[in-house]
Every structure is written in structure tokens, then in C-alpha cells.
Amino acid sequence: MNRSPYEEFPHIKTSEVTLRKIVETDLDRLFEIYSNENLFQHSPESIVGVAEMFDYHSDVNMITIGYRLHEQFWGQGIATITVNAMTDYLFNRVGVNRIQAFVLPENIKSQNVLQRNKFTQEGIVREGHIWKGKGVVDLVMYSLLKSDTTK
């Protein structure tokens, strides 16, 4: 199968979440997610979060994922369901072999999301990334291989 994950924009739908392309009518709400911590106290029907698939490397058939969820929606399983839907799509529809994610060491909730989805912690990338608002940071690296899902 091994095709580029960028050949078509994914539309992933489960009974709990829908992952779709951001459209022009989402832009104002998207800006609010990135700039307004109190957004969902006043507008619960807005975009709940953002899921990303990026840095595809065809030579090793690997992609990086990321996700951001407004904190009002933490603890409801939305991030876990989202990561599960993304990995299913990437492994079974696109044919990717390796999915990886990078998390700040203090972000235990996000690490738990990855662990619940059977990702393996590979180690810490020390002072290897610039993080907006934090400068140069350490990141915990997680990965999941297609073969991990058949064990």
C-alpha cells in the first residue's frame, strides 16, 4: 500500500470523533484555540482541538503525529480516541510503518494518551527542539510500529 499520506486529505470518522480538514469557516475558532485559554467557557460548540500528521519520511515510511486539545476536554478520552483513529488510518489506509510523537517531559497526560495507544517510549531527545514560549527543550520520544499492532 505504501502511499504518501499527503495524496488525499484524511477524513476520519469514528463513533466518538471526526478528524477532518480545517476549512475557512474554522479559522476564527482555530485562532481562538491558540490564543484564548478561556474559549470553551463561553463557546462549547467550537472546535475542540487539533490533530496533525506531519514530517513524513518516505525512505523509512515514517510519520510524526501531534494533537492539541483544549483543557476543558481533558480526561474525557477524546485524545486517546483521536490517536487511535489516526494510527488506524495511517497503518491500515495509508500503509505507514512507523508513527512517532514527541512530548514535553512534564506533559504526563499526553504521555498517558500515547501509552494507552500502545506507543513505546524510546527515550529523551535532550535539548533538541525549540518549543514556542519555552525555548530549547527536552522531548520524550514515543513510537508505534505497524508490527506492534499485531502482537
Side-chain angles (χ1 to χ4, degrees), residues 11 18 20 27 57 106 119 130:
H11 185 92
T18 298
R20 62 167 175 78
L27 295 181
H57 295 276
E106 62 268 23
F119 277 69
I130 298 209

Side-chain angles (χ1 to χ4, degrees), residues 21-39:
K21 183 177 184 175
I22 294 170
V23 295
E24 189 172 338
T25 56
D26 296 327
L27 295 181
D28 287 341
R29 291 185 196 132
L30 184 62
F31 176 74
E32 290 174 10
I33 285 176
Y34 286 100
S35 65
N36 183 351
E37 273 187 40
N38 299 314
L39 167 68

Side-chain angles (χ1 to χ4, degrees), residues 65-104:
I65 63 167
Y67 45 90
R68 291 171 188 80
L69 187 64
H70 191 280
E71 86 179 298
Q72 181 172 340
F73 295 96
W74 292 356
Q76 298 178 30
I78 296 169
T80 299
I81 292 164
T82 298
V83 169
N84 183 275
M86 291 168 67
T87 58
D88 179 62
Y89 172 83
L90 288 166
F91 286 144
N92 298 316
R93 297 253 327 262
V94 177
V96 168
N97 182 56
R98 175 187 166 93
I99 302 170
Q100 61 186 24
F102 297 91
V103 183
L104 288 167

